[in-house]
Amino acid sequence: MYKTIFSNIGKYKKQAILSPVTIIGEVLMEVLIPMVMALIIDNGVKKGDVGYVAKMGGLMVLMSVFSLCFGALAARFSAVAAMGLAKNLRSALFRKVQDFSFANVDKFSTASLTTRLTTDVTNIQNAFMMFIRMAFRSPIMLVCATIMAVRQNARLSLVFLFAIPVLAFAVFFIISKAHPRFGKMLKKYDDMNGKIQENLIGIRVVKAFAREEHEKKNFEENTDSVRRAQFAAEKLVILNMPIMQLVMYASITAILYFGGHMAVNGNIKTGELSSFIMYVGQILLSLMMISMLFITFVISRASIQRIYEVLAEEPTIKDSEASQVSAEDGSVRFEDVSFSYYDDMDNLALDSINLDIKSGETIGIIGGTGSSKTSLVQLIPRLYDTTKGRVIVGGHDVKEYALETLRNQVAMVLQKNVLFSGTIRDNLRWGNAEATDEEIIDACKSACAHDFVMSFPDGYDTDLGQGGVNVSGGQKQRLCIARALLKKPKIIILDDSTSAVDTATDSSIRKAFSEKLADTTTIIIAQRISSVMDADRIIVMDGGKITDVGTHEQLMQTSEIYREVYDSQQKGADE
């Protein structure tokens, strides 16, 4: 797990190595300074040798300057390395998410992925910066200062035999209890971020139903839940510092007491006692830093696990990148296809689907809510893989294609119309990055979008804002259809993509499709029978199965479900 995370240090490895190297220089200077100070007191001040004091004082100043320089370099190197790791880690996470199938994305909530890309990576960044400094500085300082202290007076050093076990027990207790609490705290962050995201996306609905106060109350409950979880975790961690300080000051008090008696009795020089006290401070400070390092590790460990979960997640759809297979035509065939979102044959969304669609056909799909119409068409561009059976596109099993090749042959306008920040032109070129202005205009005319686009002051250079906030639902649908048309695919799938447009516009779009996409296989999922009644064939679905297939006239005679839907819609139209 740790190897996977920290392998992302990449080109910042040099800074990660230089930081502990410069730390060693800083520590050596700091450890030698008390020894020089002892010499100044015992050999210079006591004997009144001003020249010796000045010479050794200058040496101590020089050592302090070197220590300062080494420390500054170490801080810079560690900061660069830690921020570089965070940058690479976020990039690795984002690339991994881009490789996920829909099934993988379903496993992690959007809010959770956002928290992992922000809060969790920041936790690791801070922990890594502290680690490459303190994990080297504190142990080296502890060893060197201990050696120097024992050299000064071995008897006084026995104080550490009592201090170290107390510190070790305190750190072990805090680590063992705090880790699971931080894991719970991060899950609460996920819930809070999910609520923020949901509220911001649905802000118009909130205002339309005057639910601002309700949402405020819910959000306060979410933030309070985060506060309680954070308090439960932090109240253990904050014990670390007072325990460390208590042991540190108790040790110094004991050393002053016993050392003072020894100095009075002439068993230790004044300078030696002063330097010994400084070494004790360095030792106890090192122990404190080591304990803080362990605590930071506990905090970051939960974040490391959460990020590793994403990086270690295997995409359920394996890409055949080296495949040279290309669609021969726009034919689609389902061979005994069953599909479950949970890979559970006892919980099927699609059951034993057999269907043969010829290239260039226009196919309509009708069915009630939950009849798995969308699940069926999502298998064609391999957004999901079948649980059983095969899907053949253009004469080849979809698993034989490179995903990019397959999805470039299949254009799909999803139920949820998504536009991105940028201009209308930028969004349309998602369909074809090399599309000319003439091709863009032609696609928009086919999707009945050109007129409303030109009604904007900036035309195709109009900025849509985040998610296309300044266009209506019907306008979004038409822009998404135009974007799909620019791909010039062999198969185009419209998943209830004209539900927000009026019947006249719907009719115009269908007419343009029949004229300009005569060689393209067109699959239309619709709630309105008027949207599919001119199709070559109409598929009626119910409960994840195909119940009937035929033309409008045939289904009016043979399909009870189709006839009921038609009659209810006609009745509504008549009324």
Side-chain angles (χ1 to χ4, degrees):
M1 178 171 71
Y2 298 101
K3 183 179 178 181
T4 300
I5 297 296
F6 295 110
S7 64
N8 287 281
I9 188 68
K11 66 179 182 180
Y12 300 97
K13 189 181 293 183
K14 183 175 80 171
Q15 286 85 351
I17 294 170
L18 285 173
S19 179
V21 170
T22 48
I23 283 289
I24 292 172
E26 181 189 17
V27 169
L28 290 176
M29 293 298 105
E30 288 188 8
V31 169
L32 291 174
I33 285 173
M35 183 183 72
V36 174
M37 188 187 72
L39 292 173
I40 291 173
I41 294 173
D42 293 333
N43 298 334
V45 175
K46 277 192 173 184
K47 295 178 180 180
D49 189 341
V50 177
Y52 184 84
V53 171
K55 183 178 71 173
M56 297 305 288
L59 176 62
M60 192 162 70
V61 169
L62 185 64
M63 292 169 71
S64 299
V65 171
F66 273 110
S67 177
L68 176 65
C69 292
F70 281 131
L73 285 171
R76 174 175 172 76
F77 289 140
S78 63
V80 171
M83 287 186 283
L85 172 66
K87 184 201 77 169
N88 291 343
L89 205 51
R90 286 194 177 98
S91 297
L93 281 168
F94 191 79
R95 287 196 302 271
K96 187 72 174 184
V97 171
Q98 295 303 308
D99 290 336
F100 280 175
S101 67
F102 277 24
N104 294 117
V105 175
D106 292 342
K107 182 176 177 180
F108 301 97
S109 71
T110 306
S112 179
L113 289 173
T114 302
T115 305
R116 292 171 205 238
L117 276 159
T118 52
T119 304
D120 287 320
V121 172
T122 301
N123 286 343
I124 292 175
Q125 173 186 322
N126 293 336
F128 183 69
M129 182 163 58
M130 186 174 182
F131 175 80
I132 59 177
R133 294 186 66 188
M134 295 304 171
F136 289 89
R137 175 188 171 84
S138 299
I140 294 172
M141 175 71 80
L142 177 63
V143 171
C144 292
T146 301
I147 292 171
M148 298 300 289
V150 171
R151 281 187 61 191
Q152 294 281 31
N153 196 295
R155 287 173 59 193
L156 272 180
S157 302
L158 293 174
V159 171
F160 303 137
L161 293 178
F162 299 95
I164 291 174
V166 174
L167 293 175
F169 174 78
V171 171
F172 175 77
F173 174 78
I174 292 170
I175 287 174
S176 62
K177 298 294 183 182
H179 173 65
R181 298 189 183 191
F182 277 101
K184 291 179 182 178
M185 181 193 76
L186 289 169
K187 288 181 180 177
K188 295 293 183 183
Y189 266 111
D190 289 347
D191 294 340
M192 183 181 71
N193 285 338
K195 190 64 181 175
I196 293 171
Q197 182 186 38
E198 182 181 66
N199 189 273
L200 293 177
I201 290 173
I203 191 68
R204 287 170 174 76
V205 177
V206 173
K207 291 186 175 299
F209 284 85
R211 298 284 283 178
E212 291 92 342
E213 292 304 318
H214 172 77
E215 289 299 310
K216 288 176 185 176
K217 183 179 178 182
N218 279 348
F219 185 69
E220 286 173 4
E221 290 175 358
N222 280 122
T223 53
D224 190 57
S225 179
V226 171
R227 182 195 63 80
R228 289 196 303 270
Q230 192 166 14
F231 178 76
E234 296 284 358
K235 73 179 181 181
L236 277 176
V237 173
I238 59 175
L239 291 175
N240 181 60
M241 185 60 73
I243 291 173
M244 299 300 118
Q245 289 180 332
L246 176 64
V247 173
M248 181 177 177
Y249 293 135
S251 299
I252 291 174
T253 302
I255 288 166
L256 287 172
Y257 177 78
F258 293 114
H261 280 287
M262 293 174 71
V264 170
N265 296 328
N267 295 326
I268 189 172
K269 295 179 181 179
T270 305
E272 288 179 352
L273 179 59
S274 298
S275 63
F276 188 89
I277 292 171
M278 289 184 68
Y279 285 129
V280 169
Q282 290 178 347
I283 290 167
L284 294 175
L285 187 62
S286 297
L287 289 170
M288 189 184 300
M289 290 300 104
I290 290 172
S291 71
M292 288 179 65
L293 188 64
F294 277 114
I295 298 304
T296 303
F297 170 75
V298 169
I299 297 172
S300 64
R301 185 183 167 195
S303 294
I304 290 171
Q305 286 178 331
R306 283 159 55 84
I307 287 176
Y308 179 73
E309 284 175 6
V310 179
L311 293 178
E313 177 76 7
E314 286 295 325
T316 58
I317 294 178
K318 302 295 183 181
D319 191 1
S320 305
E321 293 181 3
S323 174
Q324 300 299 314
V325 171
S326 182
E328 298 168 6
D329 53 35
S331 61
V332 180
R333 188 166 73 252
F334 291 81
E335 295 181 350
D336 195 27
V337 169
S338 294
F339 170 69
S340 170
Y341 286 100
Y342 312 102
D343 285 328
D344 180 4
M345 290 301 291
D346 294 325
N347 187 11
L348 294 174
L350 294 169
D351 188 5
S352 302
I353 301 295
N354 287 284
L355 179 64
D356 195 354
I357 300 173
K358 295 180 177 60
S359 182
E361 267 194 303
T362 297
I363 300 295
I365 302 179
I366 287 285
T369 301
S371 58
S372 297
K373 305 183 295 295
T374 297
S375 300
L376 178 71
V377 297
Q378 284 180 340
L379 299 177
I380 298 173
R382 208 181 168 202
L383 300 178
Y384 289 96
D385 265 341
T386 62
T387 305
K388 176 189 172 187
R390 297 197 308 163
V391 179
I392 311 296
V393 172
H396 300 280
D397 191 320
V398 291
K399 294 180 181 178
E400 296 176 11
Y401 287 92
L403 285 175
E404 184 177 359
T405 302
L406 174 64
R407 290 172 184 172
N408 278 333
Q409 301 295 325
V410 182
M412 189 168 183
V413 184
L414 300 169
Q415 278 181 315
K416 186 177 180 181
N417 302 287
V418 177
L419 296 172
F420 297 89
S421 300
T423 65
I424 291 175
R425 193 189 310 276
D426 292 336
N427 272 272
L428 292 171
R429 280 186 171 147
W430 273 64
N432 179 4
E434 306 301 324
T436 64
D437 287 346
E438 290 75 17
E439 288 173 324
I440 289 173
I441 292 170
D442 187 54
C444 283
K445 286 181 177 178
S446 297
C448 296
H450 178 69
D451 290 342
F452 83 76
V453 170
M454 295 309 296
S455 70
F456 297 133
D458 296 323
Y460 285 92
D461 293 317
T462 300
D463 196 311
L464 290 173
Q466 184 178 359
V469 294
N470 48 1
V471 290
S472 69
Q475 290 171 335
K476 272 187 184 180
Q477 286 188 333
R478 283 178 275 173
L479 288 173
C480 289
I481 292 170
R483 182 173 63 189
L485 290 174
L486 279 171
K487 290 183 74 173
K488 297 179 181 177
K490 287 186 168 66
I491 302 166
I492 186 165
I493 301 168
L494 306 178
D495 188 356
D496 205 15
S497 302
T498 57
S499 59
V501 302
D502 57 80
T503 53
T505 303
D506 185 16
S507 178
S508 298
I509 293 172
R510 284 186 284 114
K511 182 181 178 183
F513 271 39
S514 64
E515 292 174 354
K516 297 189 177 183
L517 300 177
D519 298 326
T520 302
T521 302
T522 305
I523 300 174
I524 304 170
I525 296 176
Q527 300 296 329
R528 293 191 298 234
I529 284 183
S530 61
S531 298
V532 298
M533 62 190 303
D534 295 328
D536 297 319
R537 284 186 294 162
I538 301 169
I539 297 167
V540 181
M541 295 192 67
D542 185 44
K545 295 183 178 182
I546 295 176
T547 59
D548 293 286
V549 180
T551 63
H552 170 69
E553 291 76 15
Q554 290 170 341
L555 292 174
M556 287 296 291
Q557 300 295 323
T558 60
S559 174
E560 183 178 345
I561 295 173
Y562 186 84
R563 193 164 51 249
E564 285 178 358
V565 174
Y566 179 80
D567 290 342
S568 65
Q569 290 183 3
Q570 284 298 109
K571 182 180 178 182
D574 293 341
E575 290 178 354

